[in-house]
Amino acid sequence: MQKPSYKIKLGSQTIEPSSATDIVGIEVDLALDVPIDICKILVNNGPLIGAVKRGDEVSVELGFDGSNTKVFTGGVDSVDPAVSGATITCLSLASLLARKRINQVYEKQAAGAIVEDIAGRAGLAVKEPDDGLSFPSYVIDDSKTAYQHLRELAELSGCDLFLNAEGHLIFKKYEEQKPITLRYGRDIVDVSVQETNPRVSGVRVFEESPASSMGDDTSHWLSKKTMGGSCGDEDGHLITNPAIRDKDTADQVARNYLEKHAVSLSGTVKAIGVPKAGLCSTIRIKEAPDARMNGDFKVVRVTHTFGGERGFMSAIEWVRPPKVSKSEPPVVEKPPVPAPPKKPSFMEEMLQKARDELESAREALVEALDAAESSLDEMLRKVSEARTEIDRMADQLLKEADAAHEQALAAAREPLSTADGLKEELEKQKAQMLRVLEEVLQEYQGLRQMAADQVAECEQDYNEIRLQIAGEAIESSSEELKRKLKEAEGRLTQAREELEKIDDEIEKASEEGKKKIEDTAREAQAEIDAARKTAEDIIAAANEDYSRARKKADDAKREANEAIDSLNKAYGSAREAVMEGRKMAGLE
């Protein structure tokens, strides 16, 4: 399903659905018969109201899914605040012509050149204007606005005068464009047609005073014969203009006027947004129940509305332009005078009564069918709205699931960060304890070295005394040496015991230091493992919740779509029944 979209430029600001929620509604009204096109933008209370000022340039683009077409160019005329927001009213650049008044005489100029000059003085560009009629002399004065003068030139030349979506002035005769196809029952929401006698069946044109019938390049003199031109019914519309100086021009003006105004078939189409439908574009209606509605038509008015329950809609007024040749007969034959009615017979009265009853029944059937079609259209609208709402709710559930999942992951990062910090702290403590152990061991090694030196010294004394005893011959001296030997042996034993004690203390200190390091590492690792386990549990729970949320959203969307599909099937069956009823009523 296509999503309506827009792009609005207000001064230096660009507003799109993705960048703002201030826009409540948009209405663009374009018409050939109205001098100034109007665009109204409804906004909520917010900073946008204060940022917009009178005179800001405005352009509006409308479309679907971001593929937009420009439909209006102009400027801000007013900002009208209300309780809940404001209405920004914008006018097309034709307002420059409506405010401009000039005095100028043009000699031997074509209408297109005059239009370009006047528009240029008002600050407007004209896009490839037609030449139109040529005038020996044409007077512009300030009794009328520039727009009024240009409108008269357009009427005389049979041209349309309007501003396109880019803000360029158009002065051209209507020619069929590449048609925009609109199909009944698919693009078209509603359609109506009016076929009447043309309000203009003939035109007579006269100059200001009798002059020449020999062309506009001859000398003129007063004549007793009234000079002028005509087309169609002799009792038609009367035009007088001092710029018309010869019969050829008068005849051409008559044909131009009749071709623009002798319209007998017109209508209105309401369709799902048609941004490419502009003034004087061509639309092609297909498959309408009334054969008169089918065909190619000229667009004379477009109203685009954006917002509300219906989204983007376009109301298009169209006409079928008549073709008028130089030898055109009266457009509408004068109706014959009817014969006086005769009194109907009994059978004729009964037959007429039966016809009336049949027509009443038919009209009742048509009303019932119209009501059924309206109900079906409402049903289709509600189905479309339901599908949109389901998509929105499913998207909302997924967004909430994504947010909860991200929040859980963020919560899991905290214990992981704690674990990383504990591990780093453990490494620092381990390195510190190793340094302390190394220092203690070095201190013990110093004591051991002193004890080892003492043992070596005692062993040396002991050995020296033994040698002396071995070489001594005197008995008395031998006793003294034996005493000294015994003392040396005692000192040696004591030194060795001291050395063994130091070795035991070194071994004990080393084992205790290593055990303390291991215990500290074990405790820290337990805290690290607990932190990681907490993080893993949080992540697992988050993934499980996220999976459940996605499954819930998918299941809800599937069930809703199944229900909507059933409704669509019911709609199709009902639509077929209605179309069959229309055939029975002779509407197909």
Side-chain angles (χ1 to χ4, degrees), residues 414-446:
E414 184 176 350
L416 286 175
S417 177
T418 301
D420 293 338
L422 288 172
K423 187 173 182 180
E424 185 178 350
E425 184 64 24
L426 172 62
E427 295 297 331
K428 290 181 180 179
Q429 290 184 7
K430 190 174 179 180
Q432 179 66 22
M433 294 175 74
L434 287 173
R435 285 196 298 271
V436 172
L437 180 60
E438 183 68 23
E439 291 173 359
V440 171
L441 291 176
Q442 286 179 0
E443 184 177 350
Y444 272 116
Q445 288 295 335

Side-chain angles (χ1 to χ4, degrees), residues 147 184 210 268 316 359 570:
Y147 177 83
Y184 184 81
T268 302
I316 305 169
E359 182 62 24

Side-chain angles (χ1 to χ4, degrees), residues 281-293:
S281 60
T282 302
I283 61 170
R284 175 173 292 168
I285 301 176
K286 288 188 172 184
E287 302 172 9
D290 189 332
R292 296 173 301 171
M293 300 177 184

Side-chain angles (χ1 to χ4, degrees), residues 91-354:
L91 303 180
S92 68
L93 300 180
S95 58
L96 300 174
L97 294 172
R99 292 193 293 264
K100 188 71 174 178
R101 293 177 184 268
I102 60 176
N103 292 285
Q104 180 68 45
V105 177
Y106 296 93
E107 298 289 341
K108 295 184 179 180
Q109 293 286 328
I114 298 173
V115 168
E116 277 194 288
D117 183 69
I118 296 175
R121 296 189 186 197
L124 279 178
V126 184
K127 185 177 180 181
E128 301 175 358
D130 285 353
D131 288 337
L133 294 177
S134 294
F135 301 98
S137 177
Y138 200 91
V139 178
I140 302 293
D141 60 51
D142 58 10
S143 64
K144 299 177 183 178
T145 66
Y147 177 83
Q148 290 172 317
H149 282 295
L150 297 189
R151 186 63 183 266
E152 287 184 2
L153 283 168
E155 289 286 342
L156 295 174
S157 298
C159 294
D160 292 305
L161 181 75
F162 63 97
L163 266 71
N164 64 9
E166 298 293 337
H168 297 147
L169 186 66
I170 305 298
F171 181 81
K172 282 182 176 293
K173 272 196 172 186
Y174 173 72
E175 294 180 355
E176 287 191 3
Q177 311 294 316
K178 182 180 179 181
I180 302 166
T181 301
L182 302 175
R183 294 185 182 276
Y184 184 81
R186 185 193 69 178
D187 310 303
I188 297 173
V189 176
D190 190 18
V191 63
S192 63
V193 63
Q194 298 85 39
E195 186 170 17
T196 60
N197 289 334
R199 63 185 180 89
V200 178
S201 59
V203 182
R204 292 182 298 156
V205 180
F206 295 98
E207 66 276 30
E208 187 177 34
S209 62
S212 171
S213 61
M214 302 301 294
D216 62 4
D217 58 349
T218 59
S219 299
H220 300 287
W221 61 91
L222 292 177
S223 171
K224 292 182 180 180
K225 182 180 179 182
T226 301
M227 304 302 297
S230 64
C231 187
D233 193 343
E234 61 182 11
D235 296 327
H237 182 73
L238 178 63
I239 296 175
T240 60
N241 192 301
I244 301 171
R245 300 291 182 86
D246 61 89
K247 183 175 180 0
D248 290 342
T249 302
D251 286 337
Q252 185 61 53
V253 169
R255 284 194 299 274
N256 292 340
Y257 191 90
L258 191 62
E259 196 168 61
K260 284 192 67 176
H261 297 281
V263 174
S264 60
L265 189 66
S266 61
T268 302
V269 166
K270 292 181 181 178
I272 298 170
V274 191
K276 293 185 179 180
L279 296 179
C280 290
S281 60
T282 302
I283 61 170
R284 175 173 292 168
I285 301 176
K286 288 188 172 184
E287 302 172 9
D290 189 332
R292 296 173 301 171
M293 300 177 184
N294 294 316
D296 293 352
F297 305 104
K298 172 184 177 182
V299 175
V300 296
R301 184 168 191 162
V302 184
T303 302
H304 299 296
T305 55
F306 189 104
E309 294 183 354
R310 287 187 172 269
F312 177 24
M313 301 293 293
S314 298
I316 305 169
E317 295 183 17
W318 54 265
V319 298
R320 175 171 286 165
K323 297 294 183 181
V324 181
S325 65
K326 289 186 178 181
S327 57
E328 184 71 20
V331 175
V332 179
E333 296 291 342
K334 294 181 179 180
V337 178
K342 65 177 181 177
K343 185 178 180 180
S345 66
F346 174 76
M347 291 299 295
E348 288 174 337
E349 288 180 347
M350 295 299 293
L351 181 60
Q352 185 60 45
K353 183 178 179 181

